[in-house]
Amino acid sequence: METNNKLKILKSGTTTVGIKVKDGVVLAADRRASAGMYVAHKYVRKVLYIAPNIGITTAGSVADLQFIYDLLKNIYHYNLITGMRPITIKSLATYLANMLSFSKYLPYIVQILLGGVDEQPRLYNLDYVGDITEEDYTATGSGSVEAIGIIEDEYRPDMTLDEAADLARRAIFSSIKRDPYTGTGVIVSKITKSGHEEKEYYPQRKI
């Protein structure tokens, strides 16, 4: 029963998207926070930055996500201030996967996309038991079925970063139309080796 309740928490509440192309990585997420059928907050930030060139999307328990986000930032900046070379995105993803796997019997209730650009664009999908996959594109959360259908139909490896950002925006808008836990608007972030640029979008109401 306890495991089933935890899975229900993971399935509810958001839609996040990650797309990797040759010029960088796009991370996107809706802005609605839900508690069951209740809209707990309309303007939650679900795209966060560990460094200017590394970001994550968040889904799951807010407290667990805050702890993991702070931990990843501390690890990244510790390497910088101690004179080591910046930790790679792959190393951050591996560290997080090991931590989640170690605690899987008392899990952090999270679903995380970790992406950015160091030597090359990277995009990783991690779940609460430590499963890790490197992806060209993916979607998580309660609206992922609607979002992934749009992405599957239109993704190309040779897309520009702007084309990928537009695809991510439209994928989450499709979830907003059909998934009650996804809503308000979309944050879309384009991440390159030199940093990130993000925009917010809100659906136009049809009369």
Side-chain angles (χ1 to χ4, degrees), residues 14 34-35 42 44 56 61 63 79 98 107 110 116 133 136 162-163 165-166 186 193 196 200:
T14 195
S34 60
K42 295 181 180 179
V44 171
I56 64 172
S61 164
N79 273 45
N98 289 338
V110 296
T133 56
D136 290 327
D162 286 337
E163 289 174 330
D166 182 65
V186 183
K193 192 169 186 176
H196 61 267
E200 295 183 35

Side-chain angles (χ1 to χ4, degrees), residues 72-116:
L72 293 178
K73 277 204 308 181
N74 288 340
I75 291 169
Y76 180 87
H77 290 290
Y78 176 80
N79 273 45
L80 293 182
I81 64 177
T82 55
M84 301 180 191
R85 69 182 182 89
I87 189 169
T88 65
I89 299 166
K90 182 178 181 180
S91 295
L92 276 175
T94 302
Y95 178 91
L96 179 56
N98 289 338
M99 186 185 83
L100 294 172
S101 179
F102 182 78
S103 63
K104 63 187 173 185
Y105 297 110
L106 189 62
Y108 296 97
I109 309 300
V110 296
Q111 178 81 47
I112 291 174
L113 300 183
L114 172 62

